[in-house]
Amino acid sequence: MQEIGPFGTSGAPAGHASYTASIRTAGFDPTVTSPAGDPYGGSVDPNAPGGTPVLVAPGATTTITVTITPTGKPGTVVTGHLNVVTAPNQPTGTTGLPQAGTGEVLAALPYQYRVG
């Protein structure tokens, strides 16, 4: 916060400002795994191994295997979406989030299952 003057030779009067923010995001389904991993997993779990990007040439196609291992009370319906993303572009090391830049969401694939 910066006060707008003019002020005399004693300067601006003392001031105080505070700001609080919160956010609620969609949950992560830990029952969904892939050999490709998750390049953003460290944002949720600092011990996550990260990802192994799958390289796809322009115009080419590939298959990315995903395994869902349901847990929970039988009959529970779980819905979500799988994001196919590009990898973050600037790793930052061990402080803060594991990436400084973000990737692009190429596709969001919805899924739903009922715990059997």
Side-chain angles (χ1 to χ4, degrees), residues 18 38 48 77 92 99 102 107 110:
S18 65
D38 182 352
V77 175
T92 60
Q99 66 276 340
T102 61

Side-chain angles (χ1 to χ4, degrees), residues 21-70:
S22 64
I23 187 169
R24 183 180 304 249
T25 65
F28 288 83
D29 188 347
T31 68
V32 179
T33 59
S34 172
D38 182 352
Y40 298 97
S43 298
V44 179
D45 176 0
N47 297 314
T52 303
V54 176
L55 301 177
V56 183
T61 62
T62 192
T63 299
I64 300 172
T65 302
V66 174
T67 302
I68 299 175
T69 308

Side-chain angles (χ1 to χ4, degrees), residues 88-102:
N89 59 9
Q90 295 176 330
T92 60
T94 59
T95 60
L97 292 174
Q99 66 276 340
T102 61

